Amino acid sequence: MRSLLMAAAAAMALGGCATTGGTGSSDQPDTPPSRASAELLPGLRGLADPFPSTYQPLPREDVAIVGGTVFTATGQRIENGVVILVDGRIAAVGGPDTPIPAGVRRIDAAGRFVTPGIIDAHSHLGVYPSPSVQATSDGNEATNPNTAQVWSEHSVWPQDPGFNRAREGGVTTLQILPGSANLFGGRSVTLRNVPSVSMQGMKFPDAPYGLKMACGENPSRVYGGRNQSPATGMGNMAGYRAAWIEAQNYRRRWQEYDRRIQAGETADPPARDLRLETLAGVLSGDILVQNHCYRADEMMLMLDLAREFGYRITTFHHASESYKIADVLAREGICSATWAGWWGFKMESLDGIEENAAILHEAGACAVIHSDDATLTQRLNQEAAAALSAGRRAGLDIAEEDAIAWITLNAARSIGVEDQTGSLEVGKRADVVIWSANPFSIYALADQVFIDGARVHDRFDEAYQARSDFELGQPGQGDR
């Protein structure tokens, strides 16, 4: 066990960049990379993921975290709780009488809090990395209203020191999205927040892709300013509909090809189209729609659009006016990834309110607190606390053990990985944060962070504190 600890420390303390790691970028994935469903066109199934994950967990040990207040994110609050991590998975969660296997190292969490790792459902780390310069501004392929052919993972720069800062704030998983200049901005990718020399070494095995769509001001402003379409809301809708009609026709061509092959006939496959492959993946249910949309009336239009073409919207992002249609979103099973304090910075966000997430929660809808920002991702627990406080001031009695799901289990659901992470449940990945205080306190710090049972951050051990070339010589870095 001692050698395992030393190996983990060595991996986290490599010279140069903190995002340079050996074990984080193994050549062998820890689970099969493809999640192609039976609905995906057989002719395209083998092409579903040409850039498979090579993620491997960092060296880990079996531990029992004892004595802390545990928020499981499933509505449980366990005082003097026990969380046992074995072989990178949650092996047990319970009260002080929970049996602890022999040979498991104990971590005393008395006076502290234990939660699942935080999941940022809307991040641009790696595609808009720091230092923020034009050469690395890779998040928006603002060349056409429909750029569904691009994949955000091909812009991810794993050396972005923002990943380190997010990890220090308890973030263990992130969805990296393209920007919102286009009607269809491209595919998202879900990453494990571990050091790696490659995107593939961070890529969450078996996580579904998302399609970034954007409604509202952004596409019409970008293209209307160039005297192109879309220049209006009605132009946005016309652009979506034309694209989905193309995608339906593309999918039919592949279905006909598959039918002929299965019948033993000779047939040439249709010409591949990367843009339409992504949209066809949405129509088959394999790619999740991640829809940037602020206003309630525009969300309702997007729901009409989804019904017209037979796909589901998984999450509305930013969603400042979700509270106006909370009952609809609850009925449709759509998550809203939002903030507490960001409102009024443009017209479509004018009616944003701090109580948004709490009202959604009270209506039985899926509320998520996201960042969309390299700084906010470091303190998503505080943003969730602000949203919870606003709801309580409005008379909504929401428990902390329920609200923690806004940055854990609900966030996992919003990006399609809730079966793997997001809660402290037996069998799930051991993504865990030990907090110095109640995570809803402004004073709370992430003391220790575990990803798949591997300690990836420790506030008291320099061997587990990431360093970056881009921070050397900056104030506050000299003593690290």
Side-chain angles (χ1 to χ4, degrees):
M1 191 172 291
R2 179 176 174 80
S3 62
L4 186 64
L5 283 167
M6 292 174 68
M12 291 301 295
L14 286 171
C17 277
T19 48
T20 300
T23 53
S25 54
S26 164
D27 290 332
Q28 298 298 320
D30 73 338
T31 59
S34 174
R35 64 179 286 123
S37 77
E39 294 184 20
L40 187 63
L41 299 174
L44 292 175
R45 192 172 294 152
L47 308 172
D49 193 356
F51 311 99
S53 169
T54 59
Y55 168 75
Q56 283 285 287
L58 290 160
R60 58 203 180 196
E61 64 174 324
D62 299 343
V63 300
I65 304 167
V66 301
T69 299
V70 177
F71 292 158
T72 65
T74 62
Q76 282 187 293
R77 178 187 184 123
I78 306 172
E79 301 294 346
N80 196 16
V82 174
V83 179
I84 301 175
L85 318 183
V86 175
D87 197 24
R89 297 279 173 173
I90 305 293
V93 180
D97 296 331
T98 302
I100 298 174
V104 172
R105 182 172 70 90
R106 294 179 183 236
I107 298 175
D108 183 7
R112 298 188 288 173
F113 284 70
V114 183
T115 72
I118 291 178
I119 297 171
D120 192 348
H122 188 121
S123 174
H124 298 294
L125 292 181
V127 299
Y128 286 118
S130 47
S132 179
V133 296
Q134 185 60 38
T136 58
S137 180
D138 267 359
N140 261 321
E141 182 67 22
T143 55
N144 189 286
N146 184 351
T147 58
Q149 75 275 11
V150 304
W151 299 22
S152 63
E153 64 195 67
H154 299 144
S155 280
V156 168
W157 186 44
Q159 294 181 3
D160 181 359
F163 288 119
N164 301 335
R165 301 288 79 79
R167 195 182 308 118
E168 291 174 1
V171 175
T172 56
T173 298
L174 311 96
Q175 177 178 227
I176 310 301
L177 290 150
S180 53
N182 304 325
L183 300 176
F184 300 91
R187 295 197 194 196
S188 69
V189 66
T190 298
L191 301 180
R192 308 292 282 156
N193 194 9
V194 296
S196 176
V197 295
S198 70
M199 169 278 298
Q200 294 95 322
M202 302 175 73
K203 194 171 181 180
F204 197 129
D206 211 28
Y209 282 108
L211 169 64
K212 174 68 174 291
M213 294 178 63
C215 71
E217 293 180 18
N218 287 12
S220 56
R221 181 183 69 248
V222 169
Y223 293 96
R226 302 174 186 174
N227 293 320
Q228 298 176 16
S229 181
T232 61
M234 55 188 173
N236 284 354
M237 285 298 287
Y240 300 131
R241 298 180 75 200
W244 288 120
I245 289 169
E246 261 195 287
Q248 285 180 329
N249 290 333
Y250 181 73
R251 190 160 186 259
R252 289 189 192 106
R253 291 196 296 272
W254 276 96
Q255 286 172 327
E256 175 59 18
Y257 166 73
D258 291 336
R259 184 197 65 76
R260 294 182 65 183
I261 293 299
Q262 290 168 11
E265 302 175 20
T266 300
D268 293 326
R272 287 185 66 191
D273 185 310
L274 294 176
R275 178 172 53 87
L276 295 175
E277 276 183 21
T278 292
L279 299 185
V282 172
L283 295 177
S284 69
D286 290 272
I287 295 175
L288 310 182
V289 171
Q290 307 289 346
N291 205 150
H292 163 118
C293 215
Y294 286 83
R295 282 172 23 194
D297 61 313
E298 292 183 329
M299 289 185 236
M300 295 298 287
L301 284 174
M302 299 307 285
L303 286 169
D304 287 341
L305 182 72
R307 279 190 284 269
E308 180 182 4
F309 292 99
Y311 66 86
R312 285 195 70 254
I313 297 167
T314 300
T315 307
F316 282 120
H317 288 252
H318 311 331
S320 297
E321 295 185 14
S322 281
Y323 65 95
K324 296 181 180 181
I325 54 169
D327 56 337
V328 174
L329 298 174
R331 185 174 65 246
E332 296 287 338
I334 296 174
C335 293
S336 295
T338 188
W339 308 279
W342 287 28
W343 64 274
F345 53 93
K346 53 182 177 176
M347 281 302 298
E348 63 187 359
S349 70
L350 193 64
D351 269 357
I353 60 173
E354 290 183 322
E355 299 86 355
N356 193 19
I359 292 172
L360 287 163
H361 178 95
E362 196 72 6
C366 171
V368 177
I369 299 295
H370 69 356
S371 77
D372 192 27
D373 180 75
T375 300
L376 186 57
T377 195
Q378 302 170 33
R379 49 179 180 83
L380 280 173
N381 62 308
Q382 294 180 16
E383 191 74 1
L388 175 61
S389 295
R392 287 176 169 178
R393 287 195 300 272
L396 303 178
D397 185 19
I398 300 172
E400 293 171 338
E401 55 266 32
D402 293 324
I404 197 69
W406 300 348
I407 51 175
T408 56
L409 186 57
N410 286 5
R413 173 183 166 190
S414 76
I415 61 176
V417 295
E418 71 275 22
D419 60 332
Q420 293 279 328
T421 188
S423 58
L424 301 181
E425 295 181 85
V426 172
K428 285 194 173 182
R429 291 177 180 267
D431 299 341
V432 182
V433 182
I434 302 174
W435 300 90
S436 63
N438 188 321
F440 292 101
S441 165
I442 196 171
Y443 300 107
L445 296 171
D447 281 347
Q448 291 181 307
V449 180
F450 298 83
I451 297 179
D452 283 324
R455 186 169 27 146
V456 296
H457 173 69
D458 190 322
R459 196 161 63 92
F460 306 103
D461 189 338
E462 288 188 358
Y464 296 89
Q465 295 171 9
R467 304 178 184 183
S468 168
D469 287 343
F470 299 99
E471 295 169 323
L472 295 177
Q474 293 189 21
Q477 299 298 315
D479 57 351
R480 297 180 64 187

